[in-house]
Short mmCIF file of all heavy atoms in Angstrom, two decimals:
data_model
loop_
_atom_site.label_atom_id
_atom_site.label_comp_id
_atom_site.label_asym_id
_atom_site.label_seq_id
_atom_site.Cartn_x
_atom_site.Cartn_y
_atom_site.Cartn_z
N THR P 1 0.84 -1.20 0.00
CA THR P 1 0.00 0.00 0.00
C THR P 1 0.88 1.25 0.00
O THR P 1 1.93 1.28 0.63
CB THR P 1 -0.91 0.04 1.23
OG1 THR P 1 -0.12 -0.03 2.43
CG2 THR P 1 -1.87 -1.13 1.22
N GLU P 2 0.42 2.26 -0.72
CA GLU P 2 1.15 3.53 -0.72
C GLU P 2 0.99 4.20 0.64
O GLU P 2 -0.09 4.15 1.23
CB GLU P 2 0.62 4.44 -1.83
CG GLU P 2 0.85 3.90 -3.24
CD GLU P 2 0.34 4.84 -4.29
OE1 GLU P 2 -0.18 5.92 -3.91
OE2 GLU P 2 0.46 4.50 -5.48
N ASP P 3 2.04 4.86 1.08
CA ASP P 3 2.02 5.46 2.41
C ASP P 3 1.51 4.43 3.41
O ASP P 3 0.44 4.57 4.02
CB ASP P 3 1.12 6.71 2.44
CG ASP P 3 1.61 7.78 1.48
OD1 ASP P 3 2.83 7.88 1.28
OD2 ASP P 3 0.76 8.48 0.92
N THR P 4 2.28 3.40 3.53
CA THR P 4 1.90 2.17 4.22
C THR P 4 0.78 2.33 5.24
O THR P 4 0.86 3.12 6.18
CB THR P 4 3.13 1.58 4.94
OG1 THR P 4 4.16 1.39 3.99
CG2 THR P 4 2.79 0.25 5.57
N LYS P 5 -0.28 1.56 5.04
CA LYS P 5 -1.38 1.51 5.99
C LYS P 5 -1.06 0.50 7.09
O LYS P 5 -0.25 -0.41 6.90
CB LYS P 5 -2.68 1.13 5.27
CG LYS P 5 -3.14 2.14 4.25
CD LYS P 5 -4.45 1.70 3.61
CE LYS P 5 -4.93 2.72 2.58
NZ LYS P 5 -6.19 2.29 1.93
N TRP P 6 -1.77 0.65 8.22
CA TRP P 6 -1.54 -0.24 9.35
C TRP P 6 -2.88 -0.73 9.87
O TRP P 6 -3.89 -0.03 9.81
CB TRP P 6 -0.80 0.50 10.48
CG TRP P 6 0.56 0.99 10.08
CD1 TRP P 6 0.86 2.08 9.33
CD2 TRP P 6 1.82 0.38 10.40
NE1 TRP P 6 2.21 2.20 9.15
CE2 TRP P 6 2.83 1.18 9.80
CE3 TRP P 6 2.19 -0.74 11.13
CZ2 TRP P 6 4.19 0.87 9.91
CZ3 TRP P 6 3.54 -1.05 11.24
CH2 TRP P 6 4.52 -0.26 10.64
N VAL P 7 -2.86 -1.94 10.37
CA VAL P 7 -4.07 -2.50 10.99
C VAL P 7 -3.74 -2.88 12.43
O VAL P 7 -2.61 -3.29 12.75
CB VAL P 7 -4.59 -3.73 10.22
CG1 VAL P 7 -5.10 -3.33 8.86
CG2 VAL P 7 -3.51 -4.80 10.09
N SER P 8 -4.73 -2.74 13.30
CA SER P 8 -4.53 -2.99 14.73
C SER P 8 -4.88 -4.43 15.09
O SER P 8 -5.83 -5.02 14.54
CB SER P 8 -5.39 -2.03 15.56
OG SER P 8 -5.23 -2.27 16.93
N MET P 9 -4.11 -4.99 16.02
CA MET P 9 -4.35 -6.35 16.51
C MET P 9 -4.22 -6.36 18.03
O MET P 9 -3.52 -5.53 18.61
CB MET P 9 -3.35 -7.34 15.89
CG MET P 9 -3.43 -7.47 14.39
SD MET P 9 -2.19 -8.66 13.74
CE MET P 9 -2.71 -10.18 14.54
N GLU P 10 -4.88 -7.31 18.66
CA GLU P 10 -4.77 -7.51 20.11
C GLU P 10 -4.50 -8.98 20.37
O GLU P 10 -5.21 -9.85 19.85
CB GLU P 10 -6.06 -7.07 20.83
CG GLU P 10 -6.30 -5.58 20.80
CD GLU P 10 -7.56 -5.20 21.56
OE1 GLU P 10 -8.28 -6.12 22.03
OE2 GLU P 10 -7.83 -3.98 21.71
N LYS P 11 -3.50 -9.26 21.19
CA LYS P 11 -3.15 -10.64 21.49
C LYS P 11 -2.74 -10.75 22.96
O LYS P 11 -2.19 -9.80 23.54
CB LYS P 11 -1.97 -11.11 20.62
CG LYS P 11 -2.32 -11.32 19.15
CD LYS P 11 -3.26 -12.51 18.97
CE LYS P 11 -3.57 -12.76 17.51
NZ LYS P 11 -4.47 -13.93 17.33
N GLU P 12 -2.97 -11.91 23.53
CA GLU P 12 -2.48 -12.18 24.88
C GLU P 12 -0.98 -12.43 24.82
O GLU P 12 -0.49 -13.11 23.91
CB GLU P 12 -3.19 -13.39 25.48
CG GLU P 12 -2.83 -13.64 26.93
CD GLU P 12 -3.66 -14.74 27.57
OE1 GLU P 12 -4.51 -15.32 26.86
OE2 GLU P 12 -3.45 -15.02 28.77
N ILE P 13 -0.26 -11.88 25.78
CA ILE P 13 1.20 -12.03 25.79
C ILE P 13 1.57 -13.45 26.23
O ILE P 13 1.13 -13.91 27.28
CB ILE P 13 1.85 -11.00 26.73
CG1 ILE P 13 1.57 -9.58 26.22
CG2 ILE P 13 3.35 -11.23 26.85
CD1 ILE P 13 2.08 -8.49 27.14
N SER P 14 2.37 -14.12 25.41
CA SER P 14 2.84 -15.46 25.76
C SER P 14 4.01 -15.40 26.73
O SER P 14 4.06 -16.10 27.74
CB SER P 14 3.26 -16.23 24.51
OG SER P 14 2.17 -16.38 23.62
N ARG P 15 4.96 -14.53 26.45
CA ARG P 15 6.15 -14.35 27.29
C ARG P 15 6.91 -13.14 26.79
O ARG P 15 6.51 -12.47 25.84
CB ARG P 15 7.03 -15.60 27.28
CG ARG P 15 7.54 -15.98 25.89
CD ARG P 15 8.19 -17.35 25.87
NE ARG P 15 8.62 -17.73 24.53
CZ ARG P 15 9.83 -17.54 24.05
NH1 ARG P 15 10.77 -16.97 24.81
NH2 ARG P 15 10.16 -17.93 22.84
N ARG P 16 8.05 -12.88 27.40
CA ARG P 16 8.95 -11.82 26.95
C ARG P 16 10.33 -12.42 26.77
O ARG P 16 10.73 -13.29 27.54
CB ARG P 16 8.98 -10.66 27.96
CG ARG P 16 7.66 -9.92 28.08
CD ARG P 16 7.76 -8.80 29.12
NE ARG P 16 6.52 -8.04 29.23
CZ ARG P 16 5.50 -8.37 30.00
NH1 ARG P 16 5.57 -9.47 30.74
NH2 ARG P 16 4.42 -7.63 30.04
N VAL P 17 11.05 -11.95 25.78
CA VAL P 17 12.38 -12.48 25.51
C VAL P 17 13.39 -11.35 25.54
O VAL P 17 13.07 -10.19 25.27
CB VAL P 17 12.44 -13.21 24.15
CG1 VAL P 17 11.58 -14.44 24.16
CG2 VAL P 17 12.03 -12.26 23.02
N LYS P 18 14.60 -11.70 25.87
CA LYS P 18 15.71 -10.75 25.91
C LYS P 18 16.52 -10.91 24.63
O LYS P 18 17.05 -11.99 24.35
CB LYS P 18 16.58 -11.02 27.14
CG LYS P 18 17.70 -10.02 27.35
CD LYS P 18 18.43 -10.33 28.65
CE LYS P 18 19.55 -9.34 28.91
NZ LYS P 18 20.29 -9.65 30.16
N ILE P 19 16.59 -9.84 23.85
CA ILE P 19 17.28 -9.87 22.56
C ILE P 19 18.56 -9.03 22.65
O ILE P 19 18.54 -7.88 23.10
CB ILE P 19 16.39 -9.31 21.43
CG1 ILE P 19 15.07 -10.09 21.37
CG2 ILE P 19 17.11 -9.37 20.11
CD1 ILE P 19 15.23 -11.54 21.00
N VAL P 20 19.67 -9.64 22.25
CA VAL P 20 20.95 -8.92 22.21
C VAL P 20 21.40 -8.86 20.76
O VAL P 20 21.63 -9.89 20.12
CB VAL P 20 22.02 -9.63 23.08
CG1 VAL P 20 23.33 -8.86 23.01
CG2 VAL P 20 21.56 -9.75 24.52
N GLN P 21 21.50 -7.65 20.21
CA GLN P 21 21.92 -7.46 18.83
C GLN P 21 23.38 -7.01 18.78
O GLN P 21 23.83 -6.26 19.65
CB GLN P 21 21.02 -6.43 18.14
CG GLN P 21 19.56 -6.87 18.03
CD GLN P 21 18.71 -5.83 17.34
OE1 GLN P 21 19.11 -4.67 17.22
NE2 GLN P 21 17.54 -6.24 16.87
N SER P 22 24.07 -7.45 17.75
CA SER P 22 25.49 -7.12 17.62
C SER P 22 25.69 -5.63 17.40
O SER P 22 26.74 -5.07 17.74
CB SER P 22 26.11 -7.90 16.45
OG SER P 22 25.40 -7.61 15.24
N SER P 23 24.69 -4.96 16.83
CA SER P 23 24.82 -3.53 16.54
C SER P 23 24.46 -2.65 17.73
O SER P 23 24.61 -1.44 17.66
CB SER P 23 23.91 -3.16 15.36
OG SER P 23 22.56 -3.48 15.66
N ALA P 24 23.98 -3.26 18.80
CA ALA P 24 23.56 -2.47 19.98
C ALA P 24 24.35 -2.92 21.20
O ALA P 24 24.70 -4.09 21.34
CB ALA P 24 22.07 -2.64 20.23
N ASP P 25 24.63 -1.96 22.07
CA ASP P 25 25.39 -2.28 23.28
C ASP P 25 24.50 -2.87 24.36
O ASP P 25 24.96 -3.67 25.18
CB ASP P 25 26.06 -1.00 23.83
CG ASP P 25 27.09 -0.44 22.86
OD1 ASP P 25 27.66 -1.26 22.09
OD2 ASP P 25 27.33 0.78 22.86
N GLU P 26 23.22 -2.49 24.38
CA GLU P 26 22.32 -2.94 25.42
C GLU P 26 21.32 -3.95 24.85
O GLU P 26 20.98 -3.92 23.68
CB GLU P 26 21.56 -1.76 26.04
CG GLU P 26 22.48 -0.75 26.72
CD GLU P 26 21.69 0.39 27.33
OE1 GLU P 26 20.45 0.43 27.14
OE2 GLU P 26 22.32 1.25 27.98
N SER P 27 20.83 -4.82 25.73
CA SER P 27 19.84 -5.82 25.33
C SER P 27 18.45 -5.18 25.29
O SER P 27 18.20 -4.13 25.88
CB SER P 27 19.83 -6.99 26.31
OG SER P 27 19.51 -6.54 27.61
N GLU P 28 17.53 -5.83 24.59
CA GLU P 28 16.16 -5.33 24.44
C GLU P 28 15.19 -6.45 24.80
O GLU P 28 15.37 -7.60 24.40
CB GLU P 28 15.94 -4.87 23.00
CG GLU P 28 14.52 -4.41 22.71
CD GLU P 28 14.31 -4.10 21.25
OE1 GLU P 28 15.28 -4.27 20.47
OE2 GLU P 28 13.19 -3.73 20.88
N ARG P 29 14.15 -6.11 25.56
CA ARG P 29 13.13 -7.10 25.91
C ARG P 29 11.93 -6.90 24.98
O ARG P 29 11.40 -5.80 24.86
CB ARG P 29 12.70 -6.95 27.37
CG ARG P 29 13.83 -7.26 28.35
CD ARG P 29 13.30 -7.40 29.76
NE ARG P 29 12.46 -8.57 29.92
CZ ARG P 29 12.92 -9.80 30.17
NH1 ARG P 29 14.22 -10.01 30.28
NH2 ARG P 29 12.08 -10.80 30.29
N ARG P 30 11.53 -8.00 24.33
CA ARG P 30 10.44 -7.93 23.38
C ARG P 30 9.27 -8.79 23.83
O ARG P 30 9.45 -9.81 24.50
CB ARG P 30 10.91 -8.38 22.00
CG ARG P 30 11.95 -7.46 21.36
CD ARG P 30 12.37 -7.99 20.00
NE ARG P 30 13.40 -7.16 19.38
CZ ARG P 30 14.04 -7.49 18.27
NH1 ARG P 30 13.75 -8.63 17.64
NH2 ARG P 30 14.98 -6.69 17.78
N VAL P 31 8.10 -8.37 23.40
CA VAL P 31 6.87 -9.11 23.69
C VAL P 31 6.72 -10.24 22.68
O VAL P 31 6.99 -10.07 21.49
CB VAL P 31 5.65 -8.16 23.64
CG1 VAL P 31 4.36 -8.95 23.79
CG2 VAL P 31 5.75 -7.12 24.74
N VAL P 32 6.26 -11.39 23.16
CA VAL P 32 6.05 -12.55 22.29
C VAL P 32 4.56 -12.91 22.31
O VAL P 32 3.95 -13.00 23.38
CB VAL P 32 6.88 -13.76 22.76
CG1 VAL P 32 6.63 -14.96 21.85
CG2 VAL P 32 8.37 -13.41 22.78
N VAL P 33 3.98 -13.08 21.13
CA VAL P 33 2.57 -13.47 21.00
C VAL P 33 2.47 -14.67 20.06
O VAL P 33 3.39 -14.95 19.28
CB VAL P 33 1.71 -12.31 20.48
CG1 VAL P 33 1.73 -11.13 21.44
CG2 VAL P 33 2.18 -11.86 19.09
N GLU P 34 1.35 -15.35 20.12
CA GLU P 34 1.10 -16.47 19.22
C GLU P 34 0.26 -16.00 18.04
O GLU P 34 -0.76 -15.33 18.21
CB GLU P 34 0.38 -17.61 19.96
CG GLU P 34 1.28 -18.36 20.93
CD GLU P 34 0.59 -19.60 21.48
OE1 GLU P 34 -0.65 -19.71 21.32
OE2 GLU P 34 1.29 -20.46 22.04
N LEU P 35 0.70 -16.35 16.82
CA LEU P 35 -0.01 -15.98 15.61
C LEU P 35 -0.26 -17.22 14.77
O LEU P 35 0.57 -18.14 14.72
CB LEU P 35 0.81 -14.97 14.79
CG LEU P 35 1.14 -13.62 15.47
CD1 LEU P 35 2.03 -12.79 14.56
CD2 LEU P 35 -0.13 -12.87 15.83
N GLN P 36 -1.40 -17.23 14.09
CA GLN P 36 -1.70 -18.33 13.17
C GLN P 36 -1.36 -17.88 11.76
O GLN P 36 -1.70 -16.76 11.35
CB GLN P 36 -3.17 -18.73 13.25
CG GLN P 36 -3.49 -19.96 12.38
CD GLN P 36 -4.87 -20.52 12.66
OE1 GLN P 36 -5.69 -19.86 13.28
NE2 GLN P 36 -5.13 -21.72 12.19
N PHE P 37 -0.70 -18.75 11.03
CA PHE P 37 -0.24 -18.39 9.69
C PHE P 37 -0.26 -19.61 8.78
O PHE P 37 -0.51 -20.75 9.23
CB PHE P 37 1.17 -17.81 9.75
CG PHE P 37 2.22 -18.80 10.18
CD1 PHE P 37 2.95 -19.54 9.25
CD2 PHE P 37 2.46 -19.04 11.53
CE1 PHE P 37 3.91 -20.45 9.64
CE2 PHE P 37 3.41 -19.95 11.93
CZ PHE P 37 4.14 -20.66 10.99
N ALA P 38 0.05 -19.36 7.52
CA ALA P 38 0.15 -20.45 6.55
C ALA P 38 1.31 -20.16 5.61
O ALA P 38 1.56 -19.01 5.22
CB ALA P 38 -1.14 -20.60 5.76
N ILE P 39 2.05 -21.21 5.27
CA ILE P 39 3.09 -21.17 4.24
C ILE P 39 2.80 -22.34 3.31
O ILE P 39 2.82 -23.50 3.74
CB ILE P 39 4.50 -21.29 4.84
CG1 ILE P 39 4.83 -20.05 5.68
CG2 ILE P 39 5.54 -21.46 3.75
CD1 ILE P 39 6.20 -20.09 6.34
N GLY P 40 2.52 -22.03 2.04
CA GLY P 40 2.08 -23.09 1.13
C GLY P 40 0.75 -23.65 1.63
O GLY P 40 -0.16 -22.92 1.98
N ASP P 41 0.66 -24.97 1.70
CA ASP P 41 -0.56 -25.60 2.21
C ASP P 41 -0.42 -25.98 3.70
O ASP P 41 -1.26 -26.69 4.24
CB ASP P 41 -0.91 -26.84 1.38
CG ASP P 41 0.21 -27.89 1.41
OD1 ASP P 41 1.25 -27.64 2.08
OD2 ASP P 41 0.07 -28.95 0.78
N HIS P 42 0.65 -25.49 4.30
CA HIS P 42 0.90 -25.80 5.72
C HIS P 42 0.38 -24.67 6.61
O HIS P 42 0.69 -23.49 6.39
CB HIS P 42 2.41 -25.99 5.95
CG HIS P 42 2.77 -26.11 7.40
ND1 HIS P 42 2.53 -27.25 8.13
CD2 HIS P 42 3.35 -25.22 8.26
CE1 HIS P 42 2.96 -27.09 9.37
NE2 HIS P 42 3.45 -25.85 9.48
N GLN P 43 -0.42 -25.03 7.61
CA GLN P 43 -0.95 -24.08 8.58
C GLN P 43 -0.36 -24.38 9.96
O GLN P 43 -0.16 -25.54 10.32
CB GLN P 43 -2.48 -24.15 8.64
CG GLN P 43 -3.16 -23.81 7.33
CD GLN P 43 -4.67 -23.90 7.44
OE1 GLN P 43 -5.22 -24.01 8.52
NE2 GLN P 43 -5.35 -23.86 6.29
N GLN P 44 -0.12 -23.32 10.72
CA GLN P 44 0.53 -23.52 12.01
C GLN P 44 0.27 -22.31 12.92
O GLN P 44 0.00 -21.21 12.45
CB GLN P 44 2.05 -23.68 11.81
CG GLN P 44 2.82 -24.03 13.06
CD GLN P 44 4.30 -24.27 12.77
OE1 GLN P 44 4.68 -24.48 11.62
NE2 GLN P 44 5.12 -24.22 13.80
N VAL P 45 0.34 -22.56 14.22
CA VAL P 45 0.32 -21.49 15.23
C VAL P 45 1.68 -21.50 15.91
O VAL P 45 2.14 -22.55 16.37
CB VAL P 45 -0.79 -21.71 16.28
CG1 VAL P 45 -0.70 -20.64 17.38
CG2 VAL P 45 -2.16 -21.65 15.63
#
């Protein structure tokens, strides 16, 4: 979409993870949620 559009979602938090990136000096805590998706004919949560 031009001027990228966004859609809102709400999910229950599964857990939080600590992410350490090589380009950053400090770690970052991210929220983890469960999503249902499909790749090819394969469906998974």
Side-chain angles (χ1 to χ4, degrees):
T1 57
E2 295 181 1
D3 299 327
T4 304
K5 296 181 180 179
W6 299 77
V7 293
S8 179
M9 298 180 62
E10 292 182 355
K11 289 291 182 179
E12 185 173 1
I13 297 176
S14 299
R15 60 190 178 94
R16 295 179 178 85
V17 294
K18 185 176 181 181
I19 304 296
V20 180
Q21 296 180 343
S22 57
S23 58
D25 296 332
E26 298 180 355
S27 60
E28 177 186 1
R29 295 192 67 85
R30 294 179 182 172
V31 173
V32 180
V33 298
E34 287 189 345
L35 300 176
Q36 185 169 15
F37 66 94
I39 293 179
D41 60 0
H42 172 75
Q43 299 179 12
Q44 186 176 343
V45 175

